[in-house]
Amino acid sequence: RIVTISHESRRQIAAAFGLDEAALTIVSVGPDAEFRVRSGEREVAEVRQRYGLPPAARLILYVGGISPHKNLQALLRAAAQLRLQTQDDWHVVLVGDYKGDSFLGCYAELTELVRTLGIADRVTFTGYVPDEDLVWLYNAATMLALPSKGEGFGLPVLEAMACGLPVIASDRNSLPEVLDGAGLLFDPDSDEAIATCILRLLRDSDLRADLARRGLVRSRAYTWSAGADTMVGVLEEAAAGSR
């Protein structure tokens, strides 16, 4: 039996190995229970202070690996464009383990790009963040931005939606599937398109509220229990077939 995590992953695996897509079963994941809408001014202030974030700036949050396929260079270039377009108080927060992650890390290149673009005062690399702090960052932020060019699923999108955080994401791979209309999509090859999406959300509170509502509804379509039920069914079929 072959299982994978999304329709897009199933399509890619089937194409790569010459399989019928029907031979692959999708076993979805879900956000952990702690990822939910939470309120707590003290907790938000503490987590901002813990990671050296400005106390009042609106946070453009990224969560994931610090690797080339995540396309963070484009997000940083879009941030540099934003600095020229608006005086709004915003800050890019890049959450990801750049010390212990050996998967094609490009932290050094990204920090050099930040310096070259002149936006060091607008960008923070937090390093690894445990879930108990990450949930507060999701609740404190203004948006999650995921510019990746390669995602098999995109769990941070699901976690953000479960926390009521509006999402903007690449229109590639599995991200449109997971969002299913509950977020804004952009061309990850266009710095201008990314900057435009960010600016729309920064300035349109009605749009943010609408995406937050739609995201909460969408996040409920993914649960660990549903994924477990599907996986049990796959195992039972395999066991029955081997007898």
Side-chain angles (χ1 to χ4, degrees):
R1 298 294 187 273
I2 302 173
V3 298
T4 189
I5 202 168
S6 67
H7 290 276
E8 176 61 19
S9 291
R10 180 173 68 178
R11 184 193 67 76
Q12 291 188 28
I13 293 169
F17 292 96
L19 301 172
D20 183 342
E21 287 189 30
L24 288 79
T25 302
I26 297 170
V27 178
S28 64
V29 299
D32 285 352
E34 63 190 298
F35 292 107
R36 65 187 190 277
V37 178
R38 304 184 69 171
S39 59
E41 292 184 7
R42 177 180 60 81
E43 290 85 352
V44 167
E46 287 176 352
V47 82
R48 281 180 180 261
Q49 184 178 36
R50 189 171 301 131
Y51 295 99
L53 307 178
R58 288 184 287 177
L59 304 181
I60 302 164
L61 184 65
Y62 163 82
V63 177
I66 309 298
S67 307
H69 72 284
K70 297 295 186 177
N71 198 33
L72 296 179
Q73 294 90 340
L75 179 60
L76 294 172
R77 291 192 300 265
Q81 286 190 21
L82 280 175
R83 187 161 202 172
L84 299 175
Q85 295 172 8
T86 176
Q87 297 300 312
D88 293 2
D89 191 10
W90 51 265
H91 196 83
V92 176
V93 184
L94 303 175
V95 174
D97 183 6
Y98 57 81
K99 294 181 179 178
D101 185 2
S102 60
F103 183 67
L104 296 175
C106 60
Y107 173 69
E109 293 88 341
L110 292 173
T111 53
E112 176 61 21
L113 179 61
V114 167
R115 186 194 66 79
T116 302
L117 293 171
I119 55 173
D121 60 328
R122 294 273 192 158
V123 178
T124 296
F125 290 85
T126 66
Y128 170 76
V129 173
D131 286 353
E132 56 265 29
D133 285 348
L134 183 56
V135 64
W136 288 109
L137 286 177
Y138 280 133
N139 277 272
T142 297
M143 71 190 77
L144 178 79
L146 197 60
S148 179
K149 291 186 178 182
E151 289 290 340
F153 185 83
L155 186 58
V157 166
L158 197 53
E159 293 172 344
M161 291 193 296
C163 292
L165 179 62
V167 175
I168 64 171
S170 165
D171 62 6
R172 305 283 172 85
N173 302 125
S174 63
L175 296 174
E177 172 189 335
V178 176
L179 280 167
D180 192 30
L184 297 183
L185 298 175
F186 53 74
D187 177 357
D189 290 323
S190 170
D191 302 345
E192 184 176 355
I194 300 172
T196 297
C197 267
I198 293 173
L199 194 57
R200 280 187 67 191
L201 272 192
L202 285 175
R203 294 186 169 178
D204 192 336
S205 59
D206 290 338
L207 177 59
R208 292 198 303 271
D210 180 53
L211 292 181
R213 285 191 297 269
R214 285 193 273 162
L216 280 170
V217 172
R218 178 60 179 160
S219 70
R220 295 179 188 128
Y222 292 92
T223 66
W224 283 111
S225 60
D229 288 344
T230 304
M231 191 68 221
V232 167
V234 170
L235 295 173
E236 288 177 340
E237 281 186 11
S242 66
R243 287 200 288 267

